Amino acid sequence: MKQVLLVILLLAGSLIAGPVALAQLTQSTRLEIPANPNEVESFDVTPLAEQGVLVTIQSGGFFSNEPVRFIYQRLNWNLKPIWYAGYKQDTKYRQIQAYHNDQYLYQLFREYDTNKYQFLRIHLGDGAIETFEGTLLDQFDIRQFKVLDSQAYVGGYHHNRPVVMVFSLFDRSTKVLPGLYANNLELSSIELDEARREVNILVHSSKRRCQFSIRTYNYESRPLRTIDFSNARNSLISGKLLPVNERESLLVGNYSTDCTPYSQGVYVTRIHHDEPATAADDAIKDMQFIEFSQLQNFFNYMKPERQQKILARAKRKKEEGKDYKFRYRLLVHDLQPTADGLTLVAEVYYPQYRGSALTNTAYTRGMDRYEGFHYTHAFICGFDKMGKLLWDNCLPIKQLLSRDLTQMVQLSQQGDRMVLAYPYEGAINMEVIQGNKILRETEKIKLGTSRENEKIMFSAQDNLMAWYGRHFLAFGFQKITSTNSTNPREVFYLNKLTYDPDQPPSGTADASIRKSVGSARE
């Protein structure tokens, strides 16, 4: 779920339909919510695949003692309203996390400076709202939140030690998952296995012999198995799990050679759930380490001369029996299942500081000069169900800087084709690949307005999400001028973009006149 913030007052929304050709992306539907700079509001946009999209608008409480108001609007696949619901939250609560599955949206609220929490559940079918109050730990720095059936898993840190608490939405009871509260241990991720009704807690440490392990618990919060990778040839940094059958899952992530957060490559191995006694040994034995220099297209974001120099240095080191040290930071996405196995997407970034050169050594600068995260490229790998690397590809990312470390690149799978795209300054940068091949080079597609006589003065907080099928969802804020009016208008927009493989590349396309066919709050 992505959030955007602007000083506005929600007034009304107009739904604008009809195709606007944008190279291989067609703007088929656009929803605009006019704004007035009188009140601070934030917008959350949650894509629900074929079920549509949920827009959550929060107002009040930012800089005043007014109650926080939430408006929930579920829209269908064509951005037409299905239901509307509202909720007024007590000023003593602040939202800290959110999570959704196929049935519900969950919001986690915390009462200021206490150990009292509220779990709010919205039914995506009809908008019915339920709340559940309970107590967790005091001084709990919450980082992760997920829900399996009627149990919420809340992960974070208490006195700098990892904790995962389980809150029952059925009887409001709480538990703490055992075996996690230790010094110098970090919570990597909470992975739910809905089919087996199990929760996998992935933890790591760069200070305690480069530990990385998977702690698995059943629905009753009892430990089932621990798979420890301390004896692996390299140090695992992160991991993502994807079940491939009833007995096995694939674990994929990034690794280093020297107990640092800087990646040397990616790894893949198989996890056997029904063999706890030998699961760790088997996983380490099956583990494949794939160095970046072994990927065919990882360095394609560079100029050819620089690529050749780096690969030549890596080759010389290998001939000397040493490793060439890569220093890449990765943001690894959740694994996407395919007919053959899975797809891994990871974005490469580094912290950028004011006045620093665009290099991977920028992390040494002082925090007072910090500007944000600079993205250099994304790479994509295809694996079969046995964990064998089938292909890899690369998407260059130019001049993209974000204050928050968040997933920018979106992937939509279209049969044997994949569409990779990310937003930047009111435009969509898109590339189409097929395994190792690039079918369409990176193309910049500028988002237009919905009428010929309009012009976008500025665009802010642009976001893009892969939605369903051949469709993407772009959203953010725009200030628009018109030849028919002297007053510019500010809107929060949602654009449904459809990938058309038969449309030739063209760049920015002219918008055609549309007519208003609905309201966002009808």
Side-chain angles (χ1 to χ4, degrees):
M1 189 164 69
K2 290 206 174 179
Q3 184 183 75
V4 285
L5 179 67
L6 189 69
V7 179
I8 71 164
L9 175 64
L10 181 67
L11 298 179
S14 58
L15 189 66
I16 300 165
V20 178
L22 299 171
Q24 287 190 309
L25 287 180
T26 300
Q27 182 177 303
S28 54
T29 306
R30 176 179 170 94
L31 175 69
E32 292 183 356
I33 302 175
N36 190 319
N38 291 328
E39 186 174 348
V40 177
E41 293 195 347
S42 70
F43 286 69
D44 284 327
V45 177
T46 307
L48 304 174
E50 289 86 353
Q51 297 183 51
V53 61
L54 181 69
V55 179
T56 303
I57 304 103
Q58 177 183 347
S59 64
F62 290 102
F63 306 111
S64 68
N65 293 322
E66 294 182 8
V68 178
R69 300 180 300 276
F70 287 91
I71 297 173
Y72 306 97
Q73 174 75 71
R74 183 181 160 197
L75 310 171
N76 70 3
W77 55 269
N78 208 30
L79 300 183
K80 293 183 179 180
I82 297 176
W83 54 255
Y84 161 90
Y87 182 77
K88 184 180 290 186
Q89 181 60 281
D90 195 303
T91 55
K92 66 183 180 181
Y93 286 114
R94 63 182 178 92
Q95 182 179 342
I96 52 177
Q97 289 284 338
Y99 174 77
H100 81 278
N101 54 28
D102 292 340
Q103 289 184 297
Y104 300 100
L105 169 72
Y106 298 89
Q107 292 175 295
L108 175 59
F109 296 89
R110 180 177 187 171
E111 187 175 331
Y112 285 91
D113 298 325
T114 74
N115 62 350
K116 297 180 180 179
Y117 292 79
Q118 183 191 75
F119 298 80
L120 187 143
R121 182 169 70 182
I122 302 100
H123 195 289
L124 297 176
D126 56 11
I129 297 175
E130 301 172 89
T131 59
F132 309 85
E133 284 75 28
T135 58
L136 300 179
L137 286 173
D138 196 10
Q139 300 181 11
F140 192 12
D141 179 13
I142 294 175
R143 304 292 182 87
Q144 300 190 41
F145 170 52
K146 292 187 176 181
V147 180
L148 177 62
D149 293 342
S150 62
Q151 291 192 158
Y153 295 85
V154 184
Y157 296 91
H158 181 66
H159 299 311
N160 297 319
R161 296 179 180 181
V163 175
V164 177
M165 298 200 69
V166 185
F167 178 81
S168 171
L169 302 179
F170 176 71
D171 60 10
R172 277 71 164 176
S173 63
T174 58
K175 299 178 183 178
V176 176
L177 294 183
L180 298 173
Y181 195 66
N183 290 323
N184 301 318
L185 200 61
E186 296 182 22
L187 183 64
S188 179
S189 65
I190 298 175
E191 306 274 334
L192 303 180
D193 189 334
E194 296 183 0
R196 301 173 64 88
R197 298 187 82 210
E198 296 176 354
V199 57
N200 298 286
I201 310 298
L202 280 63
V203 295
H204 72 280
S205 172
S206 59
K207 297 181 180 179
R208 299 177 63 192
R209 304 189 314 277
C210 305
Q211 287 187 349
F212 186 94
S213 62
I214 304 174
R215 320 284 176 92
T216 303
Y217 303 83
N218 63 13
Y219 192 73
E220 288 72 35
S221 302
R222 290 194 294 268
L224 293 178
R225 56 188 174 272
T226 296
I227 302 178
D228 190 348
F229 293 93
S230 298
N231 294 326
R233 179 161 49 93
N234 293 300
S235 305
L236 309 190
I237 299 174
S238 73
K240 298 290 184 179
L241 281 167
L242 181 71
V244 292
N245 56 51
E246 294 181 356
R247 301 179 62 247
E248 291 182 335
S249 293
L250 286 178
L251 174 67
V252 184
N254 53 322
Y255 73 92
S256 73
T257 57
D258 52 5
C259 289
T260 69
Y262 303 105
S263 301
Q264 188 75 8
V266 297
Y267 71 89
V268 59
T269 190
R270 293 154 60 197
I271 304 296
H272 303 275
H273 299 293
D274 297 333
E275 301 171 6
T278 60
D281 292 339
D282 291 342
I284 293 175
K285 180 181 178 181
D286 294 339
M287 187 169 290
Q288 305 170 56
F289 293 98
I290 306 167
E291 193 175 271
F292 292 133
S293 60
Q294 296 176 274
L295 298 174
Q296 294 183 28
N297 301 293
F298 179 85
F299 299 99
N300 283 1
Y301 73 102
M302 299 178 177
K303 293 181 178 179
E305 297 81 6
R306 190 180 172 200
Q307 287 187 50
Q308 293 172 7
K309 288 182 180 179
I310 289 181
L311 292 174
R313 292 172 189 166
K315 183 179 180 181
R316 285 197 300 270
K317 285 289 186 179
K318 287 293 183 184
E319 291 172 350
E320 297 171 1
K322 302 177 182 178
D323 289 321
Y324 180 82
K325 299 294 184 181
F326 297 105
R327 297 185 68 80
Y328 290 106
R329 295 175 185 257
L330 300 188
L331 178 61
V332 181
H333 295 208
D334 288 338
L335 305 176
Q336 296 197 25
T338 65
D340 297 326
L342 65 89
T343 300
L344 166 70
V345 179
E347 295 171 75
V348 183
Y349 70 94
Y350 60 87
Q352 180 170 312
Y353 296 83
R354 198 170 297 115
S356 67
L358 300 184
T359 68
N360 258 341
T361 59
Y363 69 94
T364 60
R365 306 287 181 175
M367 285 303 293
D368 57 325
R369 305 177 68 198
Y370 170 76
E371 286 190 318
F373 296 99
H374 183 98
Y375 296 75
T376 60
H377 65 295
F379 68 96
I380 308 94
C381 298
F383 295 90
D384 67 14
K385 293 181 180 180
M386 299 299 291
K388 178 183 177 182
L389 178 66
L390 301 175
W391 54 266
D392 71 270
N393 220 313
C394 172
L395 172 68
I397 303 176
K398 295 183 179 180
Q399 302 301 320
L400 182 58
L401 186 70
S402 174
R403 292 292 298 178
D404 300 316
L405 183 59
T406 183
Q407 295 179 6
M408 304 300 294
V409 173
Q410 298 293 301
L411 180 145
S412 176
Q413 302 191 64
Q414 311 294 326
D416 60 350
R417 298 183 181 188
M418 293 188 180
V419 183
L420 299 163
Y422 66 92
Y424 179 64
E425 293 186 344
I428 304 298
N429 290 273
M430 184 189 74
E431 182 176 277
V432 183
I433 66 172
Q434 185 182 51
N436 287 319
K437 301 177 183 178
I438 297 177
L439 302 183
R440 293 282 188 187
E441 295 284 351
T442 303
E443 181 182 1
K444 185 176 181 179
I445 304 162
K446 196 168 184 179
L447 291 174
T449 63
S450 302
R451 300 173 178 89
E452 288 182 345
N453 61 345
E454 292 182 338
K455 180 180 179 180
I456 298 174
M457 295 179 63
F458 74 82
S459 184
Q461 302 182 47
D462 299 303
N463 286 272
L464 181 72
M465 290 183 176
W467 194 0
Y468 69 95
R470 298 185 294 117
H471 309 290
F472 289 86
L473 189 64
F475 55 95
F477 295 97
Q478 292 174 343
K479 189 172 185 178
I480 302 170
T481 59
S482 171
T483 57
N484 298 331
S485 174
T486 58
N487 297 320
R489 59 191 180 93
E490 296 181 6
V491 300
F492 176 78
Y493 72 90
L494 292 104
N495 281 9
K496 179 182 180 180
L497 307 176
T498 301
Y499 167 67
D500 183 1
D502 299 321
Q503 181 75 28
S506 61
T508 304
D510 292 332
S512 56
I513 298 177
R514 303 289 177 264
K515 64 178 182 178
S516 175
V517 297
S519 170
R521 303 183 79 177
E522 288 179 352

